[in-house]
Amino acid sequence: MKKLLSLVLLVALVFSNFTSVPENVSAAASGTVVLSGSTSVNPLIQALAEAFMAKNPDIKIVEQNVTGSGSGITDAKNASSGVDFGMSSRNLTSAESDVLNKVQICLDGLAIVVNNNNPVNEISPAQLYKIFTRDTSALNWNQISNSYTTSVKIAPFGREAGSGTRSCFEDFFKVDYGTALPSGYDVNLDGSLASTGVMQSSVQNNSGAIGYMSLGDMDESKVKPLKIDGVEPSKYSVADGTYAIKRPFLLVSNKTKSITPAAQAFLDFIASADGQSIIDKKGFVKNNLVRIKATNITLRSNAINIKPASKYSLTAEVVPADTTNQILSYTSSDDNVAQVSSTGMITGENEGTAIITVTTNDGSNVSKTCKVTVSIPVTSVKLNKTSAALGVGKTLTLKATINPVDATVKTVTWKSADTSIATVSSKGVITGKKAGTVKITVKTKDGSKTATCTVKVK
C-alpha cells in the first residue's frame, strides 16, 4: 500500500516553525487568543489551552464557530474575523497557502470504527470501498468475514462536505487504494454527520454502524477501531507510516496579520515539553515521533561499463530528502564480476555482467538496480590498407586489427559507401562491381570505433 506522502512529508518542514522558548511567557504578555474551526482538532486544543492558561492566567484562549466544513480556514482567510488561528484537520490547498500560514501541531490517524458489539476486528480497503459505495455484496455484516453471523444491516456514516476528516477519508481511497469514491456517494450513506462527537455516539448507538473519526479523540469504551490491512491504528503505527489513513492537525493564520504576543506564546507552549506531553497523552502523534519513510531511490546511473580493477561510485540518494532513516544496503548478484561496498563503491573484478541492488532499511522496501558490465573496451581499430585498387570482378580482403588485443568484444561490421562500385562481405572481402572510387568502412560493435580504406575499381 502506498503511503500518504502528501501528509507525511509536511512533518519535518512545519516542525521548524516551532521555536524552543520557556514554557511560561513574560508577565507583559496578556490578552485573548481566538480559535475557530475543526471539531476534530478542538478537543486537543481545549486540553492544551487549559494547561496553558493555568500557567499564563493573563492570557485567555477562546474557541468559537467550532464546526466542520472548513470553518477554521474560512475564518482565518477573513482578516477582519477576529480569529487568531483557524483549526484545520486537513492540509491547505495551494490557493489557501497563498493566503494562510500554517503550523502543524501534530499528526492524527483516522480510525475506522464500528459498534463494540460487532465481532469484526479487521477490514480491507476493498471491503470499505464496497460498504461506502453501497455495493450489493456488502450490505449486511454477515457478508463481511468474522462479523455478525446474522443479517445485520451495515449502516455507514460519514462526515459533512468540507470536513477535514472526510477529506482525509476520501484521500485514502484516491491516493492509497487507487480508486476514488464516486461523486455523490455520500447521499446513500446513513448520515453525513457534523462533528466527531456525533460520529462516535452514532456508531455507539447503532449495532450495524461503521464510520471514521480522529484516532486521538476516540473513546474505545464507546466504539471499536478496526485494523486496516492487518495494521492496528495507533500513534506508533501512524508515526512510522505503517498505518495509512492519517492527516495533519494545523493552526492556520492570515498572512496579512501579525501574530500577537499572546498567540505566539500559545504556539510556543504547544511546542514545549509540556505541550508535547499533552499531545502524546491524548493519543496524537508528536511531530518528533513521526518517521518519514522513503518513497524512491535515485541512482547516478542505471547501467554502467567499467574495466576490471576500476571503480565507480554509484551515488544513491533517498527520496524524500528528509526521510528519517536514510541508510541503504548494497548487494551484487555476482561478486566475481563486480563487488560493491556499503557506501555504493563498485569495483570491477572480472569480465561479465552483474546487477547491483540498492535497498532501503526503513521498512519501505524500496529498491533500485544498476546493471554493471565489466569489460576491456575497444580503444581503436586499424585496417591493413588505407587505400587499394582492384579490377571489376576481382576481390580483395581487408584485415581489421582491434586495440587493445585483449578487448572483450571484437565484433566489427563492414560497409561500402557505394555498393554499385564495390561490395564488402562480413569477412572484409571486397568485390569490384564497376569502375569508380568508393570508401569501405569497418566499425567496432564496442565503442563504435571506425577505420576506412579508399578503394579504386578499374
Side-chain angles (χ1 to χ4, degrees), residues 83-137:
V83 168
D84 292 283
F85 298 116
M87 299 178 289
S88 175
S89 59
R90 66 165 174 83
N91 197 21
L92 300 179
T93 65
S94 58
E96 290 165 347
S97 295
D98 291 339
V99 181
L100 302 174
N101 290 316
K102 64 184 179 184
V103 172
Q104 179 170 300
I105 61 174
C106 67
L107 203 62
D108 178 39
L110 200 65
I112 305 300
V113 294
V114 295
N115 186 276
N116 273 329
N117 293 323
N118 195 329
V120 71
N121 292 308
E122 181 176 350
I123 200 160
S124 70
Q127 290 170 329
L128 269 180
Y129 187 86
K130 288 180 179 180
I131 288 171
F132 279 85
T133 56
R134 290 295 199 183
D135 189 292
T136 56
S137 63

Side-chain angles (χ1 to χ4, degrees), residues 335-356:
D335 286 336
N336 189 52
V337 173
Q339 295 188 12
V340 62
S341 73
S342 60
T343 60
M345 182 63 72
I346 299 171
T347 303
E349 298 294 333
N350 297 289
E351 295 177 50
T353 301
I355 302 298
I356 303 299

